[in-house]
Amino acid sequence: MAASAFHIVPYKPSVGLPPPYSPSTAFPIALSLESINDAKGGRVAQAVSEVKKLARSGRLGELLTTHGAIYFQDLGLCDADQFSDFAHAFGWTPHEDIGNPVRRTVLAKNVATANEGPNTQPVYPHNEFGLSPHYPSYVLFYCVSAPETGGETPINNSVILYQKLKEKHPEFIEEVEKKGVKYQLFYHNGPKDQLSSSRTTIRQSYGIHVLDSDDTETARKKIEDEIRRLPTATWVWENQSSENLLGDLRVWQVLPAVRNHPKTGHTAFFNNAVSRFLNALDAGTLEPPHINKNGEYQPPAFYGDGSLIPRETTLFNMGENLGLANVCIFSPKKTSAVNALLGARIFTRLVASASTKAAHLAAAIKGIDESFCLSHGNVVLIFDGGEGDKQGDELEDVHHEHFRIICLALQKYDIGLDVAGCIHDATDVLGAGFQLDKLNDGAALVIDLVEVEEDSDDKEDSAP
């Protein structure tokens, strides 16, 4: 069999993967055609032909197993139909959506939009169909029309994510490996062709065999038969009335939070707990009774036994968990602390010694009022001057008193400071090396803008 004309090319966004991958393993790897047929329709036909060779030779599978993802460059695809032709050339069995909670518009054979949510609504990190036992083995993305700014689809290696979580938050990983994760999905009764909501109706998710002429009992039986194709699902019918004879449907799934890669055996953090957590954070429904502003029940993911995953767990430090060590979410128990942070006018940055673990630093200031401090990795940010705080000379005195309180707490936990990295009395948050963005009334995104240099073993620490 002739070798494929696809060859490996440099791709600037690629990163090197740490163990368990071999040294110099790029993620993702990029492929491009050695020569391009620019005749009308020639490039697409060439791409389809060459990817068939790549798949049949086994080389495609080898590259995916080794690198985890492939970026195909300069294919010249112009529309969804051409993308469909290219995707089918891989020879994989198309995935069948069962119980999909988000509405998608079919554009070509086995090609659909990712979702129909507004462009102002973030799509948080998740594994495709991670809240279902029926998930695809492969996912292909294609951008028809790239925006001038934004719109990127970040990808993350779930094997490395599992490794980092197990290293930094072993208690959490132990819990989710033992208990699994429980999700709630709610479907309103509605027409099969509804376009008014980005969410799907019962008939759009489970009603593939339901006819308009079916009576309520027949329709419900067909829907329940479809749900039973997902053996881990349980469900209940709600809100039946004379106007809503079928009722609405609530489905629960209890699934593993980690899965082993079928080819390598490597364990991956595979679930949708992250996106459920952040969506609940946005909606202000992390805590019971989990009711959003529209009066709907919108909980985060639970442990598999139905208990709430504490907000203090690894999910709370999402930036660190996803390999973004400079990003975290500040979501204090009192929402007023978010306003205090965002409105502050004086900041002090305290950098703990290189040997200090983030969890140890967080424990040191855990009992201190969140309205003037937060920990982020190995840094404590002290802030004052928000609405209701003292101003002028008194503000500086208050800030220095808060600095003293933090230093005493660090001393109690035997935590030293990297004096060279500390910044005192900055008049804005950028001056303290941070960027802040409001997520909602109860949460802010905290980004550390200071690049962390590699620590040396002989670096001297000084006590606070």
Side-chain angles (χ1 to χ4, degrees):
M1 180 181 293
S4 169
F6 278 109
H7 67 291
I8 298 172
V9 294
Y11 183 48
K12 189 175 181 180
S14 291
V15 297
L17 293 176
Y21 294 91
S22 300
S24 303
T25 299
F27 175 80
I29 194 171
L31 298 181
S32 183
L33 291 167
E34 288 182 337
S35 60
I36 296 176
N37 184 347
D38 284 326
K40 185 177 181 180
R43 180 184 294 196
V44 176
Q46 181 187 17
V48 169
S49 174
E50 294 301 329
V51 86
K52 285 181 178 178
K53 293 179 184 177
L54 193 68
R56 291 169 182 166
S57 69
R59 179 62 174 156
L60 175 68
E62 292 173 2
L63 290 172
L64 279 172
T65 299
T66 300
H67 297 275
I70 298 175
Y71 174 61
F72 288 91
Q73 292 187 170
D74 304 319
L75 293 176
L77 305 179
C78 297
D79 54 37
D81 288 312
Q82 291 183 353
F83 175 55
S84 178
D85 291 340
F86 179 73
H88 282 88
F90 288 78
W92 295 327
T93 302
H95 180 260
E96 179 187 5
D97 286 3
I98 304 174
N100 193 350
V102 297
R103 184 170 61 83
R104 292 173 171 170
T105 301
V106 176
L107 302 177
K109 184 180 179 181
N110 294 309
V111 173
T113 55
N115 67 69
E116 293 297 339
N119 59 11
T120 55
Q121 179 179 326
V123 178
Y124 290 119
H126 64 282
N127 292 102
E128 190 67 13
F129 272 81
L131 41 63
S132 170
H134 180 66
Y135 49 86
S137 298
Y138 306 97
V139 179
L140 291 89
F141 294 100
Y142 166 61
C143 178
V144 178
S145 177
E148 292 183 3
T149 60
E152 297 91 348
T153 299
I155 58 174
N156 187 60
N157 187 297
S158 295
V159 172
I160 301 303
L161 179 55
Y162 172 81
Q163 296 275 352
K164 289 190 174 185
L165 288 172
K166 191 169 185 179
E167 174 189 344
K168 297 179 180 180
H169 306 281
E171 299 86 0
F172 169 69
I173 286 296
E174 182 179 354
E175 285 291 287
V176 293
E177 285 189 304
K178 179 172 61 177
K179 297 179 179 178
V181 185
K182 185 176 184 178
Y183 309 96
Q184 178 260 179
L185 302 100
F186 187 77
Y187 306 88
H188 289 284
N189 184 16
K192 199 169 186 176
D193 57 354
Q194 75 85 21
L195 300 176
S196 60
S197 172
S198 60
R199 293 159 56 180
T200 52
T201 64
I202 299 172
R203 289 194 62 182
Q204 288 173 321
S205 299
Y206 295 107
I208 187 171
H209 299 298
V210 176
L211 305 176
D212 291 338
S213 58
D214 287 339
D215 58 28
T216 299
E217 184 178 350
T218 302
R220 188 173 290 177
K221 182 181 183 304
K222 289 181 177 180
I223 290 166
E224 292 182 350
D225 285 344
E226 190 71 7
I227 299 173
R228 288 188 181 95
R229 296 179 64 194
L230 306 176
T232 54
T234 57
W235 66 92
V236 61
W237 293 96
E238 300 180 358
N239 305 325
Q240 295 97 325
S241 67
S242 57
E243 291 78 28
N244 184 11
L245 294 177
L246 182 65
D248 300 326
L249 180 67
R250 192 178 305 278
V251 178
W252 294 90
Q253 287 280 4
V254 179
L255 298 165
V258 302
R259 297 183 185 274
N260 292 333
H261 192 286
K263 299 289 181 63
T264 66
H266 295 149
T267 303
F269 189 70
F270 189 97
N271 56 71
N272 283 21
V274 169
S275 58
R276 284 302 175 103
F277 173 85
L278 292 175
N279 278 313
L281 181 65
D282 276 351
T285 58
L286 279 179
E287 303 295 336
H290 310 299
I291 304 300
N292 64 24
K293 63 182 180 181
N294 298 321
E296 298 174 322
Y297 181 63
Q298 186 184 339
F302 299 92
Y303 283 127
D305 61 4
S307 59
L308 188 63
I309 300 175
R311 62 189 296 158
E312 292 81 10
T313 65
T314 187
L315 290 179
F316 185 53
N317 297 299
M318 283 314 308
E320 179 186 3
N321 298 343
L322 294 174
L324 303 174
N326 66 326
V327 179
C328 76
I329 295 172
F330 180 56
S331 179
K333 293 181 179 179
K334 293 183 179 180
T335 57
S336 59
V338 175
N339 294 329
L341 171 64
L342 297 175
R345 297 198 299 168
I346 185 170
F347 302 85
T348 288
R349 174 193 184 94
L350 299 181
V351 181
S353 58
S355 59
T356 305
K357 300 292 186 183
H360 189 54
L361 182 62
I365 68 167
K366 184 176 182 180
I368 297 176
D369 191 344
E370 293 177 300
S371 65
F372 68 82
C373 70
L374 63 86
S375 69
H376 180 352
N378 72 329
V379 176
V380 175
L381 180 65
I382 307 170
F383 50 90
D384 289 289
E387 185 177 350
D389 285 350
K390 295 182 182 296
Q391 306 298 325
D393 293 339
E394 288 185 283
L395 170 60
E396 193 169 291
D397 291 341
V398 169
H399 189 65
H400 292 166
E401 173 60 19
H402 289 161
F403 167 75
R404 187 185 71 84
I405 292 171
I406 295 296
C407 286
L408 289 174
L410 300 184
Q411 190 175 52
K412 182 178 179 180
Y413 275 72
D414 197 26
I415 296 174
L417 291 177
D418 175 4
V419 176
C422 296
I423 300 172
H424 297 273
D425 298 349
T427 55
D428 58 51
V429 72
L430 289 175
F434 281 93
Q435 177 182 323
L436 305 174
D437 290 295
K438 183 177 180 178
L439 291 177
N440 55 43
D441 290 341
L445 191 69
V446 181
I447 305 172
D448 190 346
L449 302 176
V450 178
E451 292 189 11
V452 180
E453 298 180 357
E454 292 296 323
D455 300 310
S456 59
D457 294 335
D458 57 354
K459 188 172 184 178
E460 292 294 330
D461 297 332
S462 61

